[in-house]
Amino acid sequence: MAMVCLSDFEAFAKKYLPKIAWDYFAAGADDCTTRDENILAYRRIRFRPRMLRDVSVIDIRTKILGSEISFPVGIAPTGFHQLAWHEGEKSTARAARAMNTCYIASTYSTCTLEEISAAAPGGLRWFQLYIHRNRAASQQLVQRAEALGFQGLVLTADLPYTGKRRDDVRNGFRLPPHMKVKNLERAFEVCKMSPLDPSVTWNDIYWLRSLTRLPIIIKGILTREDAELAVRHGVQGIIVSNHGGRQLDEGPATIDALVEVVEAVRGRVEVYVDGGIRKGSDVLKALALGAKCVFIGRPALWGLAYKGEEGLQDVLRILQDEFRLSMALAG
Amino acid sequence: MAMVCLSDFEAFAKKYLPKIAWDYFAAGADDCTTRDENILAYRRIRFRPRMLRDVSVIDIRTKILGSEISFPVGIAPTGFHQLAWHEGEKSTARAARAMNTCYIASTYSTCTLEEISAAAPGGLRWFQLYIHRNRAASQQLVQRAEALGFQGLVLTADLPYTGKRRDDVRNGFRLPPHMKVKNLERAFEVCKMSPLDPSVTWNDIYWLRSLTRLPIIIKGILTREDAELAVRHGVQGIIVSNHGGRQLDEGPATIDALVEVVEAVRGRVEVYVDGGIRKGSDVLKALALGAKCVFIGRPALWGLAYKGEEGLQDVLRILQDEFRLSMALAG
Amino acid sequence: MAMVCLSDFEAFAKKYLPKIAWDYFAAGADDCTTRDENILAYRRIRFRPRMLRDVSVIDIRTKILGSEISFPVGIAPTGFHQLAWHEGEKSTARAARAMNTCYIASTYSTCTLEEISAAAPGGLRWFQLYIHRNRAASQQLVQRAEALGFQGLVLTADLPYTGKRRDDVRNGFRLPPHMKVKNLERAFEVCKMSPLDPSVTWNDIYWLRSLTRLPIIIKGILTREDAELAVRHGVQGIIVSNHGGRQLDEGPATIDALVEVVEAVRGRVEVYVDGGIRKGSDVLKALALGAKCVFIGRPALWGLAYKGEEGLQDVLRILQDEFRLSMALAG
Amino acid sequence: MAMVCLSDFEAFAKKYLPKIAWDYFAAGADDCTTRDENILAYRRIRFRPRMLRDVSVIDIRTKILGSEISFPVGIAPTGFHQLAWHEGEKSTARAARAMNTCYIASTYSTCTLEEISAAAPGGLRWFQLYIHRNRAASQQLVQRAEALGFQGLVLTADLPYTGKRRDDVRNGFRLPPHMKVKNLERAFEVCKMSPLDPSVTWNDIYWLRSLTRLPIIIKGILTREDAELAVRHGVQGIIVSNHGGRQLDEGPATIDALVEVVEAVRGRVEVYVDGGIRKGSDVLKALALGAKCVFIGRPALWGLAYKGEEGLQDVLRILQDEFRLSMALAG
């Protein structure tokens, strides 16, 4: 089977992953409307291609928060990479470094931050954070990440509670016994309830600010009002995201929300977007609409499921080639 | 089979109910366009989710006409509950009371008002009424309902004649011999024609007013013009409804009509809506568009068909949980 | 099989008619886009139903060009009724008279005008005319129709050449040897080419006017410009029609064109519409948009195919009942 | 099997061509959205048919850059005709001459320009050109074409790199060993990389202008901005084209782009369009929107696949008949 485009990796993952893992990665909230809208919204955007421009040399490098990456596609934070590939987040970190791009490691990793760092020293990595009821646990995570050389802190804002993903409920989804949410092992012990704190508000950004010198990127913003609040509370970046359509169903597609967020932010902080990227031309559309960089979630997992580190590199390389070609053809 | 969302109950009912009963409950007028539009129209409405609000405590209680209910979802009037569950409306009444919400008992019940009242003393109930050719029969029903402690009178305005539901015609639908429209037994005797009076007009509201001290809620309003007339004729509440798409096909979806009715009413009376509610987020949308409360019709019947009183409670509990989660995730 | 709605008759006809006859009746030009649009356009029109009006007495009679018909649905001119039922147009004439409505007999009938008249003396009938290269043949037809008591002359304007109906080409459609276009037998003899004259213009209406005292109705108008021309050239009525989507594909649906024609005509002549009527509520929509009456084409043929005169009466009766019910439910 | 419309030829070609050839001709870039949009966009355009005009004589001849053709449909440049029919472009040239229309021979022909000319002396032909890294090769081609009597030079502007056509990648598409891109044989020898030069800009039009007295037509324009640039750089014609949806996916359909190009050009040069023409009425629409002539790509190949020269004539004749009929029926 030739792996020609990202859908080929999706088909592979659907065929070879255990159903419970596939369902978990594929899950959207409720009717999965928003999950699917993320993709469909890109299809509704049309290029106006320009001709006869010199496209013999195309530079696709960019910088995010000052760090250069080889092209404007990073790895979004997703949980439980061992469900896709036995070496889990260690492979993800290696692939990201090999392709010279940014990897946002999830709190819900099946490897510790230390293992991830050790697997690919020197790679550009950000750490994704939830604020827990047990603030000490969150503080400790932030400080571990900073000490390990992570260069950004991504606060996920859209998960005060977990969305209703029907298949996960039907499957009774839980991690297999040999996998663990290693970063949180101690935190879980002190907290019988869901460890996430639904009472978090904008003021907690100030608290986070007080813990670290890392830039703070907020993830999950979908409206101009929240974008303005984010800027005012001093974040360095915004990821327009609806959590892959896994939280509130029937909100906007991220590429649609990007437009109003970019307009509200007026260049004061960097804006990124995730959700629905399936082709290099989607990356170009996101950039044309004001994103500095995009992040891929499920496609990264499909790459891992295909061949671990190598498979993820294949995915990134295809996106890179398609993106470069789109730029050339769009003039 | 795990019952995770309302569609699971629908699938169960379709599988286990006798075809003639399923067809009757599922029926829409003509091409069923409006029945299906009721659902599709919710899908077209998008949230603008807000982040980082303190959603640790969520109060979903509300009041309708002064009575508190545990969450803004009541049971719409539908006929012939014994077709779904052998104890019929008695089970419905018990489930509504157990969940602390409002049940609108239909004139076309297969239990008498007295049986319904006795099954769940103290529950919040309204009585749904048609005006009959035999006005004495209507008057007697109103007075029985008031005496039994029903707290509201719901006048259905959209059934001067019964809509054309093709499957019912094909099936030659009629109640099995052991079921009866018990509330009307005497009225039918004196009236050879269809007992409903197609000559009813707005002035009959004054007549109804003269019979009872109960608040009058009018059901079946779809336009701003009729909403204005309803307010002027002194009703206490309006249920925006198209009878589940069972009367005139190709009118508006109820959630679309809600907007113009709410605008016309300008808060002078309470506005409710039924039709097409399938998820907790639908409830949130209806409330965001101005409804004080929604009512569910077919999903209640699916719950009954699943496990009687218990099944209906399951349906209500799922809606309640989904509604609460939607509120939290939408901020 | 219960015949509940017009689609039931369509299914019957598709099943029992010879393929070549079904294909001929069903045919649309090219991709059949306009044929199907005629129906889909009705689906896009929504009612605003009004409640609590006295609908105990509903009068659905109307008058077209001064003649009363029992309800505003007549029989559009279609050819070759013997393909549907062995007695052909004689049955059509009888059914129309029995239902007290208007039948527009086609030039391309398989019975003569004389046979049609004799089959149902006293029925309200109009005669549909093409203008032939051989003007004497046309003149003779007009005068025969007038002498036989036809009360209107319907000039079809949209067939200078026959549209490209792919299935008819594939089938090599032609009438079976025992059927004949009886009205034209002599005319065909003198004319080797297609007998229709593609050089006909608006001025030929004056010629037609000079031949007869019958009112002239022009059929095939789809634009405000042509509607204005029709009025100026002194016609008494306009049938908005696209020949059932059998001529130019990808023109407007007739119900959409009706709106602009009615607006242009400003009540100076009566406006009718054909194409896409499948339910009583379609009739109501056409009337609400300004038509004085609608005409049905294919549904009449399905009725004939089902049971001849009786089947066509069934079709008309269903439409009548549905129309009356729609009026009541729409208030 | 009767060949009644162009889809019949498509079905034939799909059935009888080797899969690798069919896939190559059918291919679109990425998700094939633009390829399919080219067709769907025509379906969205509606006629306003006018009646009772004298359509007994219809003249469908036209002139492009001063040369008369029998009707406004030419043959667009497509590559590798031997994949469709063993005599390749020689058959194409003969069919075009027989039908008295224009054939744009592709650089990527499997016959030489000399063979094409010899096959149909005196036919109206243009030559399609890419600008190669090896400018001498391009210059030589231009001069050969001019010497051979080609009457126009079509510069393709939308292929700085080849679009990503997934099926071709999967199939590992390449020409069978017995076919050659004969026009380029020497050029390929001197050029290891792709022979096309991605650094071409508008200024290269001046270079081309200096090589030849032939009119220059630019192909691949989709925006008003590029149309204006084309006029300013002195081209004689513009072909609105997206390369059959084979280059950048998710740009505009050509018939939609035509409108803005025609508006920008304001009659200063002739404008043509290719892509999505499947019926005679599509031709009429393109002309009504300002095109002087249309060109067909894939349908010509289907015609070749069916019966070579004869099959292509069949395709052209069907389009001609349909176009003439559409003109008559649209008035």
Side-chain angles (χ1 to χ4, degrees):
Chain A
M1 184 185 189
M3 303 311 263
V4 173
C5 59
L6 267 54
S7 318
D8 294 335
F9 293 84
E10 182 177 17
F12 181 94
K14 184 163 191 180
K15 193 164 168 190
Y16 289 101
L17 280 182
K19 177 176 157 45
I20 201 170
W22 166 260
D23 280 356
Y24 173 75
F25 291 142
D30 294 343
D31 290 320
C32 302
T33 308
T34 296
R35 179 193 68 180
D36 298 339
E37 264 291 293
N38 275 352
I39 294 174
L40 294 171
Y42 277 104
R43 300 290 85 78
R44 288 190 294 260
I45 299 170
R46 291 278 179 265
F47 290 109
R48 288 175 54 78
R50 301 296 304 273
M51 300 300 143
L52 294 186
R53 296 174 165 205
D54 180 347
V55 292
S56 54
V57 177
I58 296 176
D59 185 355
I60 59 174
R61 289 171 304 172
T62 192
K63 282 189 176 175
I64 51 173
L65 296 182
S67 302
E68 184 175 302
I69 52 179
S70 66
F71 77 122
V73 177
I75 313 290
T78 51
F80 311 149
H81 291 195
Q82 283 191 1
L83 283 176
W85 185 255
H86 62 96
E87 296 211 58
E89 288 80 5
K90 287 184 282 187
S91 298
T92 316
R94 285 188 207 112
R97 190 186 55 177
M99 292 298 292
N100 191 19
T101 190
C102 178
Y103 162 36
I104 309 180
S106 165
T107 290
Y108 286 96
S109 293
T110 41
C111 302
T112 61
L113 295 182
E114 288 74 10
E115 290 169 326
I116 293 171
S117 286
L124 175 62
R125 277 184 292 277
W126 295 349
F127 174 61
Q128 175 272 333
L129 182 82
Y130 296 106
I131 296 183
H132 293 78
R133 293 181 195 274
N134 177 350
R135 298 284 158 117
S138 288
Q139 177 172 357
Q140 190 224 50
L141 273 172
V142 169
Q143 287 163 351
R144 272 166 70 195
E146 188 165 2
L148 286 164
F150 282 78
Q151 296 183 30
L153 211 55
V154 176
L155 176 68
T156 297
D158 59 4
L159 204 134
Y161 302 96
T162 303
K164 180 170 181 176
R165 303 156 196 170
R166 294 177 186 170
D167 283 345
D168 287 350
V169 181
R170 287 185 222 284
N171 293 337
F173 174 76
R174 55 169 58 211
L175 280 186
H178 61 285
M179 296 185 204
K180 291 208 162 54
V181 183
K182 288 191 177 170
N183 287 316
L184 292 179
E185 278 183 292
R186 267 160 304 178
F188 270 125
E189 281 158 26
V190 292
C191 187
K192 290 177 201 158
M193 304 167 60
S194 158
L196 304 187
D197 184 351
S199 73
V200 168
T201 67
W202 289 101
N203 285 330
D204 291 285
I205 304 233
Y206 298 130
W207 169 75
L208 203 58
R209 178 78 298 151
S210 73
L211 301 182
T212 177
R213 284 174 311 179
L214 291 180
I216 295 174
I217 302 101
I218 189 161
K219 173 169 173 283
I221 300 305
L222 292 166
T223 59
R224 68 173 66 83
E225 294 88 343
D226 280 348
E228 182 61 37
L229 284 171
V231 173
R232 285 205 206 149
H233 285 80
V235 305
Q236 274 70 48
I238 291 173
I239 305 182
V240 175
S241 171
N242 52 29
H243 217 108
R246 298 162 78 85
Q247 288 295 101
L248 181 70
D249 200 22
E250 304 184 348
T254 50
I255 189 68
D256 293 337
L258 175 68
V259 176
E260 75 174 76
V261 168
V262 164
E263 205 178 77
V265 161
R266 298 194 313 275
R268 290 172 288 170
V269 305
E270 295 191 352
V271 180
Y272 321 107
V273 67
D274 69 17
I277 298 283
R278 297 294 179 269
K279 304 194 291 188
S281 58
D282 296 339
V283 183
L284 181 55
K285 287 175 181 177
L287 266 64
L289 294 172
K292 183 82 178 163
C293 170
V294 309
F295 291 90
I296 56 169
R298 294 184 184 94
L301 296 162
W302 305 334
L304 285 178
Y306 177 55
K307 269 192 192 173
E309 174 186 342
E310 242 184 278
L312 176 46
Q313 283 190 57
D314 289 348
V315 162
L316 289 167
R317 211 172 288 117
I318 285 174
L319 271 180
Q320 199 174 56
D321 291 346
E322 289 182 350
F323 173 61
R324 192 186 287 112
L325 181 58
S326 295
M327 283 194 71
L329 297 182
Chain B
M1 184 185 189
M3 304 311 264
V4 173
C5 59
L6 268 52
S7 318
D8 293 335
F9 292 84
E10 182 177 18
F12 180 94
K14 185 164 191 179
K15 193 164 168 191
Y16 289 101
L17 280 182
K19 177 176 159 43
I20 201 169
W22 166 260
D23 280 356
Y24 173 75
F25 292 141
D30 294 343
D31 291 320
C32 302
T33 309
T34 295
R35 179 194 67 181
D36 298 339
E37 265 291 293
N38 275 351
I39 293 174
L40 293 172
Y42 277 103
R43 300 289 86 77
R44 288 190 293 261
I45 299 171
R46 292 278 179 266
F47 290 109
R48 289 176 53 79
R50 301 296 304 275
M51 300 301 142
L52 295 187
R53 297 173 165 207
D54 181 347
V55 292
S56 53
V57 178
I58 297 176
D59 184 356
I60 59 174
R61 289 171 303 172
T62 191
K63 281 189 176 175
I64 51 174
L65 297 182
S67 303
E68 184 176 302
I69 52 179
S70 67
F71 77 121
V73 176
I75 312 290
T78 52
F80 309 151
H81 291 194
Q82 283 191 0
L83 283 175
W85 186 254
H86 61 97
E87 296 210 60
E89 289 79 5
K90 288 183 282 187
S91 298
T92 316
R94 284 187 207 115
R97 191 186 55 178
M99 292 297 293
N100 192 18
T101 190
C102 177
Y103 162 36
I104 310 179
S106 165
T107 290
Y108 284 97
S109 293
T110 42
C111 303
T112 61
L113 295 183
E114 289 75 11
E115 290 169 325
I116 292 170
S117 286
L124 174 63
R125 278 184 291 276
W126 296 349
F127 174 62
Q128 176 273 332
L129 182 83
Y130 296 106
I131 297 184
H132 293 79
R133 293 180 194 276
N134 176 351
R135 297 282 159 119
S138 289
Q139 178 172 354
Q140 190 223 50
L141 272 172
V142 169
Q143 287 162 351
R144 272 166 70 196
E146 187 165 2
L148 286 164
F150 283 78
Q151 296 184 30
L153 212 55
V154 175
L155 176 68
T156 297
D158 59 6
L159 204 133
Y161 302 96
T162 303
K164 180 170 182 175
R165 303 157 198 171
R166 294 175 186 169
D167 283 344
D168 287 350
V169 180
R170 287 184 222 284
N171 293 337
F173 173 76
R174 55 170 58 214
L175 281 186
H178 61 285
M179 295 185 205
K180 291 209 161 53
V181 183
K182 288 191 176 171
N183 288 316
L184 293 179
E185 278 184 290
R186 267 161 303 177
F188 269 125
E189 282 158 25
V190 293
C191 186
K192 290 177 202 157
M193 304 168 61
S194 158
L196 304 187
D197 184 352
S199 74
V200 167
T201 67
W202 289 101
N203 286 329
D204 290 285
I205 305 234
Y206 298 131
W207 169 75
L208 202 59
R209 177 78 297 151
S210 73
L211 302 182
T212 177
R213 283 175 310 180
L214 291 180
I216 295 174
I217 302 101
I218 189 161
K219 174 169 173 282
I221 299 305
L222 291 166
T223 59
R224 67 174 65 85
E225 295 87 345
D226 280 349
E228 182 61 36
L229 285 171
V231 172
R232 284 205 205 149
H233 284 80
V235 304
Q236 274 69 47
I238 291 173
I239 304 182
V240 174
S241 172
N242 52 30
H243 217 108
R246 298 161 77 85
Q247 288 294 101
L248 181 70
D249 200 22
E250 303 183 351
T254 50
I255 190 67
D256 292 337
L258 175 69
V259 176
E260 75 174 78
V261 168
V262 164
E263 203 176 78
V265 161
R266 298 195 312 275
R268 290 173 288 170
V269 304
E270 296 190 352
V271 180
Y272 322 107
V273 65
D274 69 17
I277 298 282
R278 296 295 179 267
K279 303 194 291 188
S281 59
D282 296 339
V283 182
L284 180 55
K285 287 175 180 177
L287 266 63
L289 294 172
K292 183 83 177 161
C293 170
V294 309
F295 292 91
I296 56 169
R298 292 183 185 95
L301 296 162
W302 305 333
L304 285 178
Y306 177 54
K307 269 194 193 172
E309 176 187 340
E310 243 183 279
L312 176 46
Q313 283 189 55
D314 289 348
V315 162
L316 288 167
R317 211 171 288 118
I318 284 174
L319 272 180
Q320 200 175 53
D321 291 345
E322 290 182 349
F323 173 60
R324 192 186 287 113
L325 181 58
S326 295
M327 284 193 71
L329 297 182
Chain C
M1 185 186 188
M3 304 312 262
V4 174
C5 58
L6 267 53
S7 318
D8 294 335
F9 292 84
E10 182 177 18
F12 181 95
K14 184 163 192 181
K15 191 163 169 191
Y16 289 101
L17 281 181
K19 176 174 158 46
I20 202 169
W22 166 261
D23 280 355
Y24 173 74
F25 292 142
D30 295 343
D31 290 320
C32 303
T33 308
T34 296
R35 178 194 67 180
D36 298 338
E37 264 291 292
N38 275 351
I39 294 174
L40 293 172
Y42 277 104
R43 299 290 84 77
R44 288 191 292 262
I45 299 170
R46 292 277 179 264
F47 291 109
R48 290 175 51 78
R50 301 296 304 274
M51 300 300 143
L52 295 187
R53 299 176 162 203
D54 180 347
V55 293
S56 54
V57 178
I58 297 176
D59 184 356
I60 59 174
R61 289 171 303 173
T62 191
K63 281 188 174 176
I64 51 174
L65 296 182
S67 303
E68 185 176 302
I69 52 179
S70 66
F71 77 122
V73 176
I75 312 289
T78 51
F80 309 151
H81 291 196
Q82 283 191 2
L83 284 175
W85 186 253
H86 63 96
E87 295 210 61
E89 290 78 4
K90 288 184 281 187
S91 298
T92 316
R94 286 188 206 114
R97 192 186 53 176
M99 291 297 293
N100 191 19
T101 190
C102 178
Y103 163 37
I104 309 179
S106 165
T107 291
Y108 285 97
S109 293
T110 42
C111 303
T112 61
L113 295 181
E114 289 74 12
E115 290 169 325
I116 292 170
S117 287
L124 174 63
R125 278 184 292 276
W126 296 349
F127 174 62
Q128 175 273 331
L129 182 82
Y130 295 106
I131 295 184
H132 293 79
R133 294 179 194 276
N134 176 352
R135 298 283 159 116
S138 288
Q139 176 171 358
Q140 190 224 49
L141 271 172
V142 169
Q143 288 163 351
R144 272 166 69 196
E146 187 165 3
L148 286 163
F150 283 78
Q151 296 182 32
L153 213 55
V154 176
L155 176 69
T156 296
D158 59 6
L159 204 135
Y161 302 95
T162 303
K164 180 170 182 176
R165 303 157 197 170
R166 294 176 186 168
D167 283 343
D168 287 350
V169 181
R170 287 184 222 284
N171 292 337
F173 174 77
R174 55 168 59 213
L175 281 186
H178 62 285
M179 296 185 205
K180 291 210 161 54
V181 183
K182 289 190 176 172
N183 288 316
L184 293 179
E185 278 184 291
R186 268 161 303 180
F188 271 124
E189 282 158 24
V190 294
C191 187
K192 291 177 202 159
M193 302 168 62
S194 158
L196 304 188
D197 185 351
S199 74
V200 168
T201 66
W202 289 101
N203 285 330
D204 291 284
I205 304 234
Y206 298 130
W207 170 75
L208 202 59
R209 177 77 297 151
S210 74
L211 301 182
T212 177
R213 284 176 308 180
L214 290 180
I216 296 173
I217 301 101
I218 189 160
K219 174 169 173 282
I221 300 305
L222 291 166
T223 59
R224 68 174 65 84
E225 295 87 344
D226 280 350
E228 181 61 35
L229 284 169
V231 173
R232 286 205 203 150
H233 285 80
V235 304
Q236 275 68 48
I238 291 172
I239 303 183
V240 175
S241 172
N242 51 30
H243 217 108
R246 298 161 77 85
Q247 288 294 101
L248 181 69
D249 199 22
E250 303 183 349
T254 50
I255 190 67
D256 292 337
L258 175 69
V259 176
E260 75 173 77
V261 168
V262 164
E263 204 177 78
V265 162
R266 297 195 312 275
R268 290 173 288 172
V269 304
E270 295 190 353
V271 180
Y272 321 108
V273 67
D274 70 16
I277 298 282
R278 296 296 178 268
K279 303 194 291 187
S281 58
D282 296 338
V283 182
L284 180 54
K285 287 175 180 177
L287 266 64
L289 294 173
K292 183 82 178 161
C293 170
V294 309
F295 292 91
I296 56 169
R298 294 183 185 95
L301 296 161
W302 305 333
L304 285 177
Y306 177 55
K307 270 193 191 172
E309 176 187 341
E310 242 183 278
L312 176 45
Q313 284 190 55
D314 289 348
V315 162
L316 289 166
R317 211 172 288 120
I318 284 174
L319 271 180
Q320 201 175 54
D321 291 345
E322 289 181 349
F323 173 60
R324 192 187 286 114
L325 181 58
S326 295
M327 284 193 71
L329 296 183
Chain D
M1 185 185 187
M3 304 311 264
V4 174
C5 59
L6 267 54
S7 318
D8 293 335
F9 293 84
E10 181 177 19
F12 181 93
K14 184 164 191 179
K15 191 164 168 190
Y16 289 101
L17 280 182
K19 176 175 158 47
I20 201 170
W22 165 260
D23 280 356
Y24 173 75
F25 291 142
D30 294 343
D31 290 320
C32 301
T33 308
T34 295
R35 177 193 69 180
D36 298 339
E37 264 292 293
N38 275 352
I39 294 173
L40 293 172
Y42 277 103
R43 300 291 82 79
R44 288 191 293 260
I45 299 170
R46 292 279 179 262
F47 291 109
R48 288 175 54 78
R50 301 296 304 273
M51 300 299 142
L52 296 185
R53 297 175 164 205
D54 180 346
V55 291
S56 54
V57 179
I58 296 176
D59 184 356
I60 59 173
R61 290 171 303 173
T62 191
K63 282 189 174 175
I64 51 174
L65 297 181
S67 303
E68 184 175 303
I69 51 180
S70 67
F71 77 121
V73 176
I75 312 289
T78 50
F80 310 151
H81 291 195
Q82 283 191 2
L83 284 176
W85 185 254
H86 63 95
E87 295 210 60
E89 288 79 5
K90 288 184 282 187
S91 298
T92 316
R94 286 188 205 113
R97 191 186 55 176
M99 291 296 294
N100 191 19
T101 190
C102 178
Y103 162 37
I104 309 179
S106 165
T107 290
Y108 285 97
S109 292
T110 41
C111 303
T112 62
L113 295 182
E114 288 73 10
E115 290 169 324
I116 292 170
S117 286
L124 174 62
R125 275 183 294 276
W126 295 349
F127 174 62
Q128 176 273 332
L129 183 81
Y130 296 105
I131 296 184
H132 293 77
R133 293 180 195 274
N134 176 351
R135 298 283 159 117
S138 289
Q139 176 171 357
Q140 190 225 50
L141 272 172
V142 169
Q143 287 162 351
R144 272 165 70 196
E146 187 165 3
L148 287 164
F150 282 78
Q151 296 182 31
L153 213 55
V154 175
L155 176 68
T156 296
D158 59 5
L159 203 134
Y161 302 95
T162 304
K164 180 170 183 176
R165 303 156 197 171
R166 294 178 186 168
D167 282 344
D168 287 350
V169 181
R170 287 185 222 283
N171 293 337
F173 173 78
R174 54 168 59 212
L175 281 186
H178 62 284
M179 296 186 204
K180 290 209 162 54
V181 183
K182 288 190 175 172
N183 288 316
L184 293 179
E185 278 184 291
R186 267 160 303 178
F188 271 125
E189 282 159 24
V190 293
C191 187
K192 290 177 201 157
M193 303 169 61
S194 159
L196 305 187
D197 184 349
S199 74
V200 169
T201 66
W202 288 100
N203 286 330
D204 291 284
I205 304 232
Y206 298 130
W207 169 75
L208 202 60
R209 177 78 298 152
S210 74
L211 301 182
T212 177
R213 284 175 311 180
L214 291 180
I216 296 174
I217 301 101
I218 189 160
K219 174 169 172 283
I221 300 304
L222 292 166
T223 60
R224 69 174 66 84
E225 295 87 343
D226 280 349
E228 181 62 36
L229 284 170
V231 173
R232 285 204 206 151
H233 284 80
V235 304
Q236 275 69 48
I238 291 173
I239 304 183
V240 175
S241 172
N242 51 29
H243 217 108
R246 298 161 77 85
Q247 288 294 100
L248 181 69
D249 199 21
E250 302 183 350
T254 51
I255 189 67
D256 292 337
L258 175 69
V259 176
E260 76 174 76
V261 168
V262 164
E263 204 178 77
V265 162
R266 298 194 312 274
R268 291 173 288 170
V269 304
E270 295 191 354
V271 180
Y272 322 108
V273 67
D274 70 15
I277 298 283
R278 297 295 179 268
K279 303 194 291 187
S281 58
D282 296 339
V283 182
L284 181 55
K285 287 175 181 178
L287 266 64
L289 294 173
K292 184 82 178 163
C293 170
V294 310
F295 292 91
I296 56 169
R298 294 186 184 93
L301 296 162
W302 306 333
L304 286 177
Y306 177 56
K307 269 191 191 172
E309 174 186 343
E310 243 183 278
L312 176 47
Q313 283 189 57
D314 289 347
V315 162
L316 289 166
R317 212 173 286 119
I318 285 174
L319 271 180
Q320 201 174 55
D321 291 345
E322 288 182 350
F323 173 61
R324 192 187 286 114
L325 180 58
S326 296
M327 284 194 71
L329 297 182

